[in-house]
Amino acid sequence: MQNGFTCGVEQTQSCSPLMSIFLNDEGGFTTIAAATTLLVVLALLFGLVAVGQTMSDAYEVQSIADAGALAGENVVAKYTTVATVLDACVLSMGLTGIVTLGAGLIVSCIPGFQAAGGKLTEAGREVLKSRREFAKSVAKGLKSFEKVMPALIAAQSYACIQSNSKGSLHYTGAAIPFPLESKSDFGSLDADINDEDMVKKSEEIQKKTEQKEKAQKKAEEAKEKAWKADCGNSPSYCMYERASVLASLSGQDNPLYASVDAWTFGVPLKRARAYYKTRESHESIGGATGEERNDSACRKAFYRYAYQEVCKGFYQENEDGTVECSFPNLPRNMQETKDTTLYTDKSWPCSEEEGKTVLHSDADCPGRKGAITGYASFSDLDRGKVETCPYCKLSFDDMGKVASASTSIENGFEHHWKIVADEAKIYQGAREEIAKTDEEVKELARQSKDLFAKALEELSVIRPTLCPPGAWGCVGVATRGETELPASSISAVFSAHSRLPRGVAISGAVLAPDEATKENNVLADFFDSLSERAGFVGTTADNIFELWGSLLVSYGSTYKAIGSKATGFLDKFDGVFAGAGKWLKNKIAELLEGAGLQPVDMRLKRPVLTNSENILSQAGCSKEATIREAILNMPEQGSFMDYAKVIGKVAIKDLPPEITLAELSIPITGGTIPITINIRKLLGVT
């Protein structure tokens, strides 16, 4: 029985000579067949490896183009961080200056604090002056830096691409920024904030407040003098002491105030009414002699007159702080008494004596013999219409002595009343002056609020529009010339002249916010660095720079946080705010809270890859034409200086060794801090 044919056909048929090389007579594979199969498999294997390596070398130019685009856009990222920090400084300095000016306006409204208000106003002015100079230097510095950015982008990207060269594989190229030239607008950055009007208004407020302070001092002095004359000098002579001793007044009719704070001018007015009413009712006309009877009658008449006069007086405190009062002046000598009703009133009894009309001190005068026929005045006596009683000898001189004696010496009640009456007039005038200046200060405060709002509005719109070279992105172009593969490569084993053709790749990179850096401390670190270099000292300076630091660090927060930091500075003066100052403080706080000072996104930017067509489309360029032109313009061989010159249109040797981005003039304490970038060091050249 057979299992098959020897040569795969009938046994009667023999194998061909060619096949017999691979198959033996028994139908199995020969050694040559096995060796040939092994060689074919190895050839295919090494061929595939060589193709893979060649493709890897060819594709590597794309990853290098990606790296070049990212390296170029990284320059833009660093610039953006610097520009944002400087913009934050300008904005926060402006807000610091305005808030300090506002605090100066507020404090200027407070009597006794005009000097402090003037210092705060001047400090705010200094801060805004420093901000003005700083903003101008920032605008100038950023413009200068943006001019050399294309060259820096080209140089940095070239260095990155060239560093990937290895062996015979030489890469060259650079990143092209779009836009190629700066389109930033710094016109508003160095715009001025009008602080002159606020400074002038502060000076006006200080003058009015000084007038108010003088009036307040005058009112306080007048009130204290009147209080002392009324009861403050007790137990020494005063109205309280005299009323207690002479009229035995006590309790509600004769109150004692230990402090001037609770005392008002209404107190001596009520005390005088009670005193004169009591003295008049207790005075009984009489005496052992006519002179004593005469004096008693004159005193009683004087007390009655004085009571009537003080009852006409009044004292009222108004809501606006003014007072309405009338404290009648009692006569203090003969002439003043003659000008009163004591001289003209027909209050003295007369009798007919031996055909003459005689004036008596009272109806019970021992010198009266006839009946009372009427009443006459001292004026009638002086004009001879009536005669003097030979017993009591009443005359106007006696009446004049009553007022003169009690007013001229300290033990007289009228002496202290006169002081109260005189000081009441001074107090009334001073309170009117206070109310008048209060209204004037309130009007100035309203005007100040409007000026503050205007300055705040100016500050909110003074922001730069950044669009530096590379703001839309960078397109990286990497090229590799035709290259003979190294002898160690797989391809060279099978081919003595294996070559890798020329390769070109493009890539795009743009900036994207890095969420991981949302809470970065770049602003705090920057301010700490400035603080160390500036050496801030002094209470006022410390408070203001503390405010600036808090506003600067809050730059990346919500605008409500910025407003709360600013109003927090004003709260330091809460203990002294009153009147127009308190009103202005509240209004300025409202303006700050509602100013809508939108902060910027403080997340750091990092370059990320994107489709280069997105960048070119934004730039309004044709992808094919732009890339073709870029490749043709790039030198096949050359240093980063050559690429920088082609792309940046500036020779490295012509670049300034150093660019001053800004100069910060330290307000109040003085001095200047330059913020510079060493271009040569950045490029690694000397």
Side-chain angles (χ1 to χ4, degrees):
M1 184 175 179
Q2 293 180 336
N3 292 327
F5 300 109
T6 304
C7 296
V9 294
E10 293 185 5
Q11 191 173 5
T12 55
Q13 296 176 349
S14 59
C15 295
S16 65
L18 179 61
M19 292 298 295
S20 64
I21 299 174
F22 301 103
L23 296 173
N24 57 27
D25 293 338
E26 296 178 355
F29 290 107
T30 64
T31 302
I32 295 175
T36 302
T37 301
L38 184 59
L39 287 173
V40 171
V41 171
L42 289 175
L44 289 174
L45 177 61
F46 282 104
L48 289 173
V49 172
V51 170
Q53 182 180 13
T54 302
M55 290 182 67
S56 176
D57 290 339
Y59 180 75
E60 189 175 12
V61 70
Q62 180 61 54
S63 62
I64 294 173
D66 292 344
L70 292 172
E73 193 66 8
N74 194 45
V75 175
V76 185
K78 292 179 179 179
Y79 167 82
T80 302
T81 300
V82 171
T84 301
V85 170
L86 294 178
D87 178 39
C89 284
V90 173
L91 176 67
S92 57
M93 280 187 73
L95 188 57
T96 300
I98 291 176
V99 172
T100 306
L101 264 178
L105 289 168
I106 295 168
V107 176
S108 295
C109 296
I110 306 168
F113 288 85
Q114 304 96 293
K119 289 181 179 179
L120 279 171
T121 302
E122 185 60 30
R125 188 176 188 177
E126 285 293 320
V127 172
L128 287 179
K129 180 182 177 182
S130 295
R131 176 247 165 228
R132 189 179 304 121
E133 295 172 353
F134 181 63
K136 289 180 179 180
S137 68
V138 167
K140 182 181 178 181
L142 292 182
K143 285 178 184 178
S144 300
F145 190 76
E146 288 190 0
K147 287 180 180 179
V148 302
M149 277 184 68
L152 295 177
I153 292 170
Q156 295 283 17
S157 58
Y158 166 84
C160 176
I161 292 172
Q162 195 273 337
S163 66
N164 285 278
S165 298
K166 53 186 177 181
S168 61
L169 298 177
H170 179 73
Y171 297 97
T172 187
I176 306 170
F178 290 92
L180 188 58
E181 295 182 353
S182 170
K183 295 186 180 297
S184 297
D185 180 12
F186 298 103
S188 60
L189 186 62
D190 57 358
D192 203 359
I193 298 175
N194 183 6
D195 59 347
E196 289 296 327
D197 291 341
M198 281 197 288
V199 171
K200 290 179 180 177
K201 200 62 62 179
S202 175
E203 293 173 351
E204 291 180 35
I205 292 175
Q206 290 170 38
K207 289 180 181 178
K208 290 299 178 182
T209 306
E210 186 176 355
Q211 293 179 14
K212 179 181 176 180
E213 182 183 14
K214 290 180 179 178
Q216 281 184 331
K217 185 177 180 181
K218 191 175 182 180
E220 290 169 0
E221 290 176 350
K223 185 178 180 181
E224 185 170 5
K225 287 181 180 179
W227 167 71
K228 287 181 177 180
D230 178 50
C231 62
N233 283 333
S234 178
S236 299
Y237 289 139
C238 60
M239 288 176 62
Y240 166 80
E241 186 273 339
R242 290 287 81 194
S244 176
V245 173
L246 301 177
S248 300
L249 291 182
S250 61
Q252 293 183 351
D253 290 335
N254 196 32
L256 175 64
Y257 288 83
S259 170
V260 69
D261 297 330
W263 181 90
T264 70
F265 278 89
V267 174
L269 192 60
K270 292 179 180 179
R271 195 191 313 276
R273 290 171 183 169
Y275 172 78
Y276 285 117
K277 183 178 182 180
T278 302
R279 290 301 302 271
E280 193 269 338
S281 63
H282 288 180
E283 185 68 44
S284 179
I285 301 175
T289 64
E291 184 178 357
E292 291 178 357
R293 195 176 193 90
N294 186 357
D295 291 342
S296 176
C298 286
R299 284 195 300 270
K300 189 176 184 68
F302 180 81
Y303 296 147
R304 182 171 56 250
Y305 166 79
Y307 174 72
Q308 292 172 350
E309 289 298 308
V310 295
C311 283
K312 295 176 184 178
F314 59 89
Y315 176 79
Q316 178 180 322
E317 295 181 352
N318 301 321
E319 291 183 359
D320 62 356
T322 60
V323 297
E324 295 179 24
C325 63
S326 174
F327 284 74
N329 285 317
L330 299 178
R332 56 181 176 174
N333 53 46
M334 185 76 68
Q335 183 57 47
E336 289 182 3
T337 306
K338 205 170 187 178
D339 294 333
T340 68
T341 56
L342 288 172
Y343 182 67
T344 58
D345 276 359
K346 299 180 182 295
S347 56
W348 302 99
C350 296
S351 64
E352 290 294 328
E353 305 292 343
E354 298 179 358
K356 296 179 181 179
T357 303
V358 179
L359 187 72
H360 301 281
S361 59
D362 66 291
D364 297 328
C365 175
R368 180 178 69 82
K369 303 299 181 181
I372 300 297
T373 58
Y375 292 87
S377 65
F378 287 119
S379 174
D380 294 332
L381 181 62
D382 288 346
R383 288 183 294 176
K385 290 184 177 182
V386 293
E387 299 287 337
T388 302
C389 172
Y391 178 80
C392 64
K393 298 179 181 179
L394 178 64
S395 69
F396 186 67
D397 290 344
D398 299 319
M399 179 58 70
K401 291 176 182 177
V402 174
S404 177
S406 61
T407 305
S408 301
I409 54 179
E410 288 187 356
N411 65 357
F413 184 88
E414 289 72 24
H415 172 82
H416 304 287
W417 169 261
K418 183 181 185 308
I419 295 175
V420 171
D422 290 344
E423 297 303 325
K425 292 179 181 178
I426 296 173
Y427 183 77
Q428 182 180 18
R431 295 303 306 176
E432 288 176 356
E433 179 69 17
I434 292 170
K436 179 183 176 183
T437 53
D438 258 345
E439 286 301 316
E440 292 172 342
V441 170
K442 286 179 182 178
E443 178 58 31
L444 291 173
R446 284 189 284 269
Q447 296 172 9
S448 299
K449 186 264 292 184
D450 294 338
L451 291 174
F452 186 89
K454 183 179 178 182
L456 202 58
E457 183 180 356
E458 290 176 353
L459 179 66
S460 62
V461 299
I462 299 177
R463 305 293 289 278
T465 303
L466 295 178
C467 187
W472 302 336
C474 285
V475 174
V477 179
T479 65
R480 182 200 62 240
E482 184 178 356
T483 307
E484 184 174 343
L485 293 174
S488 59
S489 67
I490 296 294
S491 299
V493 173
F494 300 97
S495 176
H497 302 287
S498 297
R499 300 186 68 81
L500 186 67
R502 185 185 186 197
V504 177
I506 65 170
S507 180
V510 294
L511 294 182
D514 187 354
E515 290 296 334
T517 63
K518 187 175 182 180
E519 302 297 331
N520 71 82
N521 296 320
V522 61
L523 291 175
D525 293 342
F526 177 75
F527 183 75
D528 289 342
S529 175
L530 285 181
S531 300
E532 291 176 3
R533 297 172 67 183
F536 302 145
V537 292
T539 303
T540 302
D542 284 345
N543 287 334
I544 292 174
F545 284 112
E546 180 184 350
L547 170 64
W548 180 29
S550 62
L551 292 175
L552 179 61
V553 174
S554 300
Y555 185 75
S557 308
T558 62
Y559 69 87
K560 288 186 177 179
I562 295 178
S564 64
K565 295 292 183 182
T567 54
F569 176 74
L570 301 180
D571 290 339
K572 293 178 181 289
F573 306 94
D574 252 352
V576 296
F577 288 150
K582 185 176 182 180
W583 178 88
L584 184 57
K585 183 258 182 183
N586 293 335
K587 290 299 180 183
I588 286 180
E590 290 175 7
L591 288 171
L592 288 169
E593 292 287 356
L597 292 171
Q598 296 291 353
V600 298
D601 185 357
M602 282 307 299
R603 292 174 296 178
L604 299 181
K605 306 299 188 296
R606 62 184 181 90
V608 294
L609 294 175
T610 187
N611 192 324
S612 57
E613 189 171 358
N614 296 333
I615 301 171
L616 295 171
S617 296
Q618 186 174 2
C621 301
S622 168
K623 181 176 181 180
E624 293 77 8
T626 303
I627 299 304
R628 187 183 304 111
E629 182 182 359
I631 294 173
L632 292 174
N633 288 338
M634 286 187 182
E636 293 186 5
Q637 299 292 331
S639 67
F640 74 92
M641 298 185 182
D642 298 322
Y643 281 86
K645 185 173 184 180
V646 170
I647 296 175
K649 298 180 181 180
V650 60
I652 294 296
K653 65 181 181 62
D654 295 331
L655 290 177
E658 188 176 74
I659 290 179
T660 299
L661 287 178
E663 288 185 347
L664 177 59
S665 298
I666 304 301
I668 305 174
T669 59
T672 302
I673 300 177
I675 303 173
T676 61
I677 290 182
N678 191 317
I679 299 298
R680 299 296 180 90
K681 185 177 181 180
L682 187 65
L683 293 173
V685 298
T686 57

Short mmCIF file of all heavy atoms in Angstrom, two decimals, residues 203-231:
data_model
loop_
_atom_site.label_atom_id
_atom_site.label_comp_id
_atom_site.label_asym_id
_atom_site.label_seq_id
_atom_site.Cartn_x
_atom_site.Cartn_y
_atom_site.Cartn_z
N GLU A 203 -7.68 121.07 49.36
CA GLU A 203 -7.19 122.32 49.97
C GLU A 203 -8.35 123.21 50.37
O GLU A 203 -8.32 123.84 51.44
CB GLU A 203 -6.27 123.03 48.98
CG GLU A 203 -4.96 122.28 48.72
CD GLU A 203 -4.13 122.93 47.62
OE1 GLU A 203 -4.66 123.86 46.95
OE2 GLU A 203 -2.97 122.52 47.42
N GLU A 204 -9.39 123.26 49.53
CA GLU A 204 -10.57 124.07 49.86
C GLU A 204 -11.25 123.50 51.10
O GLU A 204 -11.67 124.25 52.00
CB GLU A 204 -11.56 124.07 48.69
CG GLU A 204 -11.07 124.84 47.47
CD GLU A 204 -12.10 124.80 46.35
OE1 GLU A 204 -13.31 124.81 46.65
OE2 GLU A 204 -11.69 124.76 45.17
N ILE A 205 -11.37 122.19 51.16
CA ILE A 205 -12.00 121.56 52.32
C ILE A 205 -11.19 121.83 53.58
O ILE A 205 -11.76 122.12 54.65
CB ILE A 205 -12.14 120.03 52.09
CG1 ILE A 205 -13.15 119.76 50.98
CG2 ILE A 205 -12.57 119.33 53.37
CD1 ILE A 205 -13.28 118.30 50.61
N GLN A 206 -9.87 121.76 53.47
CA GLN A 206 -9.02 122.00 54.63
C GLN A 206 -9.20 123.42 55.17
O GLN A 206 -9.26 123.63 56.38
CB GLN A 206 -7.56 121.75 54.26
CG GLN A 206 -7.21 120.29 54.01
CD GLN A 206 -5.83 120.11 53.42
OE1 GLN A 206 -4.90 120.81 53.78
NE2 GLN A 206 -5.70 119.18 52.50
N LYS A 207 -9.33 124.40 54.25
CA LYS A 207 -9.53 125.78 54.69
C LYS A 207 -10.87 125.93 55.41
O LYS A 207 -10.95 126.58 56.46
CB LYS A 207 -9.47 126.72 53.48
CG LYS A 207 -8.08 126.87 52.88
CD LYS A 207 -8.10 127.81 51.69
CE LYS A 207 -6.70 127.94 51.08
NZ LYS A 207 -6.70 128.82 49.88
N LYS A 208 -11.91 125.34 54.82
CA LYS A 208 -13.23 125.43 55.45
C LYS A 208 -13.25 124.68 56.78
O LYS A 208 -13.85 125.14 57.76
CB LYS A 208 -14.30 124.87 54.51
CG LYS A 208 -14.55 125.73 53.28
CD LYS A 208 -15.04 127.11 53.68
CE LYS A 208 -15.26 127.99 52.47
NZ LYS A 208 -15.70 129.36 52.86
N THR A 209 -12.59 123.56 56.82
CA THR A 209 -12.55 122.78 58.05
C THR A 209 -11.77 123.52 59.13
O THR A 209 -12.10 123.45 60.32
CB THR A 209 -11.92 121.40 57.79
OG1 THR A 209 -12.61 120.76 56.72
CG2 THR A 209 -12.02 120.53 59.02
N GLU A 210 -10.73 124.24 58.71
CA GLU A 210 -9.97 125.04 59.67
C GLU A 210 -10.85 126.15 60.24
O GLU A 210 -10.80 126.43 61.45
CB GLU A 210 -8.75 125.64 58.98
CG GLU A 210 -7.82 126.37 59.94
CD GLU A 210 -6.55 126.87 59.26
OE1 GLU A 210 -6.36 126.57 58.06
OE2 GLU A 210 -5.77 127.56 59.92
N GLN A 211 -11.68 126.77 59.37
CA GLN A 211 -12.63 127.77 59.87
C GLN A 211 -13.60 127.14 60.86
O GLN A 211 -13.91 127.71 61.90
CB GLN A 211 -13.40 128.38 58.69
CG GLN A 211 -12.56 129.22 57.75
CD GLN A 211 -13.38 129.77 56.60
OE1 GLN A 211 -14.61 129.75 56.61
NE2 GLN A 211 -12.70 130.26 55.57
N LYS A 212 -14.07 125.96 60.52
CA LYS A 212 -15.00 125.27 61.41
C LYS A 212 -14.33 124.92 62.73
O LYS A 212 -14.94 125.06 63.80
CB LYS A 212 -15.50 123.99 60.72
CG LYS A 212 -16.47 123.19 61.57
CD LYS A 212 -16.91 121.93 60.86
CE LYS A 212 -17.81 121.08 61.76
NZ LYS A 212 -18.26 119.85 61.09
N GLU A 213 -13.07 124.49 62.66
CA GLU A 213 -12.35 124.15 63.88
C GLU A 213 -12.21 125.37 64.79
O GLU A 213 -12.40 125.27 66.01
CB GLU A 213 -10.98 123.59 63.53
CG GLU A 213 -10.18 123.15 64.75
CD GLU A 213 -8.79 122.67 64.39
OE1 GLU A 213 -8.35 122.91 63.26
OE2 GLU A 213 -8.13 122.07 65.25
N LYS A 214 -11.89 126.52 64.19
CA LYS A 214 -11.78 127.75 64.98
C LYS A 214 -13.11 128.11 65.61
O LYS A 214 -13.18 128.51 66.78
CB LYS A 214 -11.27 128.89 64.11
CG LYS A 214 -9.82 128.74 63.68
CD LYS A 214 -9.39 129.91 62.80
CE LYS A 214 -7.93 129.78 62.39
NZ LYS A 214 -7.50 130.90 61.49
N ALA A 215 -14.19 127.96 64.82
CA ALA A 215 -15.52 128.27 65.34
C ALA A 215 -15.90 127.29 66.45
O ALA A 215 -16.50 127.68 67.46
CB ALA A 215 -16.55 128.22 64.21
N GLN A 216 -15.55 126.01 66.28
CA GLN A 216 -15.84 125.03 67.32
C GLN A 216 -15.09 125.34 68.60
O GLN A 216 -15.64 125.24 69.70
CB GLN A 216 -15.48 123.62 66.82
CG GLN A 216 -16.50 123.00 65.90
CD GLN A 216 -16.13 121.59 65.52
OE1 GLN A 216 -14.96 121.23 65.49
NE2 GLN A 216 -17.13 120.77 65.21
N LYS A 217 -13.83 125.72 68.44
CA LYS A 217 -13.03 126.07 69.60
C LYS A 217 -13.62 127.29 70.30
O LYS A 217 -13.70 127.34 71.55
CB LYS A 217 -11.60 126.35 69.17
CG LYS A 217 -10.65 126.61 70.33
CD LYS A 217 -9.22 126.81 69.85
CE LYS A 217 -8.27 127.07 71.01
NZ LYS A 217 -6.89 127.30 70.55
N LYS A 218 -14.06 128.24 69.50
CA LYS A 218 -14.67 129.46 70.05
C LYS A 218 -15.96 129.11 70.80
O LYS A 218 -16.22 129.62 71.90
CB LYS A 218 -14.97 130.42 68.91
CG LYS A 218 -15.36 131.82 69.34
CD LYS A 218 -15.51 132.71 68.11
CE LYS A 218 -15.87 134.14 68.51
NZ LYS A 218 -16.01 135.01 67.30
N ALA A 219 -16.76 128.23 70.21
CA ALA A 219 -18.01 127.82 70.85
C ALA A 219 -17.74 127.06 72.13
O ALA A 219 -18.42 127.27 73.15
CB ALA A 219 -18.83 126.96 69.88
N GLU A 220 -16.76 126.17 72.10
CA GLU A 220 -16.43 125.38 73.28
C GLU A 220 -15.91 126.26 74.40
O GLU A 220 -16.27 126.07 75.58
CB GLU A 220 -15.39 124.32 72.92
CG GLU A 220 -15.94 123.21 72.02
CD GLU A 220 -14.86 122.32 71.46
OE1 GLU A 220 -13.66 122.58 71.77
OE2 GLU A 220 -15.18 121.38 70.71
N GLU A 221 -15.08 127.23 74.05
CA GLU A 221 -14.54 128.14 75.07
C GLU A 221 -15.66 128.98 75.68
O GLU A 221 -15.71 129.19 76.90
CB GLU A 221 -13.47 129.04 74.46
CG GLU A 221 -12.18 128.30 74.12
CD GLU A 221 -11.17 129.21 73.44
OE1 GLU A 221 -11.56 130.35 73.07
OE2 GLU A 221 -10.00 128.79 73.28
N ALA A 222 -16.58 129.46 74.81
CA ALA A 222 -17.69 130.28 75.31
C ALA A 222 -18.59 129.45 76.22
O ALA A 222 -19.03 129.92 77.29
CB ALA A 222 -18.49 130.83 74.13
N LYS A 223 -18.85 128.23 75.84
CA LYS A 223 -19.72 127.36 76.64
C LYS A 223 -19.07 127.05 77.98
O LYS A 223 -19.75 127.05 79.03
CB LYS A 223 -20.02 126.08 75.88
CG LYS A 223 -21.01 125.18 76.59
CD LYS A 223 -21.33 123.94 75.77
CE LYS A 223 -22.32 123.05 76.49
NZ LYS A 223 -22.64 121.83 75.74
N GLU A 224 -17.78 126.80 77.96
CA GLU A 224 -17.09 126.47 79.21
C GLU A 224 -17.06 127.67 80.15
O GLU A 224 -17.26 127.53 81.38
CB GLU A 224 -15.67 125.99 78.93
CG GLU A 224 -14.95 125.51 80.17
CD GLU A 224 -13.64 124.82 79.87
OE1 GLU A 224 -13.25 124.79 78.70
OE2 GLU A 224 -13.01 124.32 80.81
N LYS A 225 -16.82 128.86 79.60
CA LYS A 225 -16.82 130.06 80.44
C LYS A 225 -18.19 130.28 81.05
O LYS A 225 -18.32 130.62 82.24
CB LYS A 225 -16.42 131.28 79.62
CG LYS A 225 -14.94 131.34 79.27
CD LYS A 225 -14.64 132.60 78.46
CE LYS A 225 -13.16 132.68 78.09
NZ LYS A 225 -12.86 133.90 77.28
N ALA A 226 -19.24 130.12 80.23
CA ALA A 226 -20.60 130.31 80.73
C ALA A 226 -20.94 129.26 81.78
O ALA A 226 -21.59 129.56 82.80
CB ALA A 226 -21.59 130.23 79.57
N TRP A 227 -20.52 128.01 81.55
CA TRP A 227 -20.77 126.93 82.53
C TRP A 227 -20.09 127.23 83.86
O TRP A 227 -20.68 127.04 84.93
CB TRP A 227 -20.26 125.62 81.95
CG TRP A 227 -20.17 124.51 82.96
CD1 TRP A 227 -21.20 123.85 83.53
CD2 TRP A 227 -18.97 123.97 83.52
NE1 TRP A 227 -20.73 122.89 84.42
CE2 TRP A 227 -19.35 122.94 84.43
CE3 TRP A 227 -17.61 124.22 83.34
CZ2 TRP A 227 -18.43 122.21 85.15
CZ3 TRP A 227 -16.69 123.47 84.05
CH2 TRP A 227 -17.10 122.47 84.94
N LYS A 228 -18.86 127.71 83.78
CA LYS A 228 -18.15 128.04 85.01
C LYS A 228 -18.84 129.18 85.74
O LYS A 228 -18.96 129.16 86.98
CB LYS A 228 -16.70 128.42 84.71
CG LYS A 228 -15.84 127.23 84.31
CD LYS A 228 -14.40 127.67 84.05
CE LYS A 228 -13.52 126.48 83.72
NZ LYS A 228 -12.12 126.89 83.46
N ALA A 229 -19.31 130.18 84.99
CA ALA A 229 -19.99 131.31 85.62
C ALA A 229 -21.33 130.88 86.20
O ALA A 229 -21.79 131.43 87.22
CB ALA A 229 -20.21 132.43 84.60
N ASP A 230 -21.94 129.88 85.60
CA ASP A 230 -23.24 129.43 86.09
C ASP A 230 -23.08 128.50 87.29
O ASP A 230 -23.66 128.76 88.35
CB ASP A 230 -23.99 128.71 84.97
CG ASP A 230 -25.33 128.18 85.44
OD1 ASP A 230 -26.09 128.95 86.03
OD2 ASP A 230 -25.60 126.98 85.21
N CYS A 231 -22.33 127.41 87.12
CA CYS A 231 -22.21 126.48 88.23
C CYS A 231 -20.86 125.76 88.29
O CYS A 231 -20.57 125.07 89.28
CB CYS A 231 -23.33 125.44 88.18
SG CYS A 231 -23.31 124.41 86.68
#
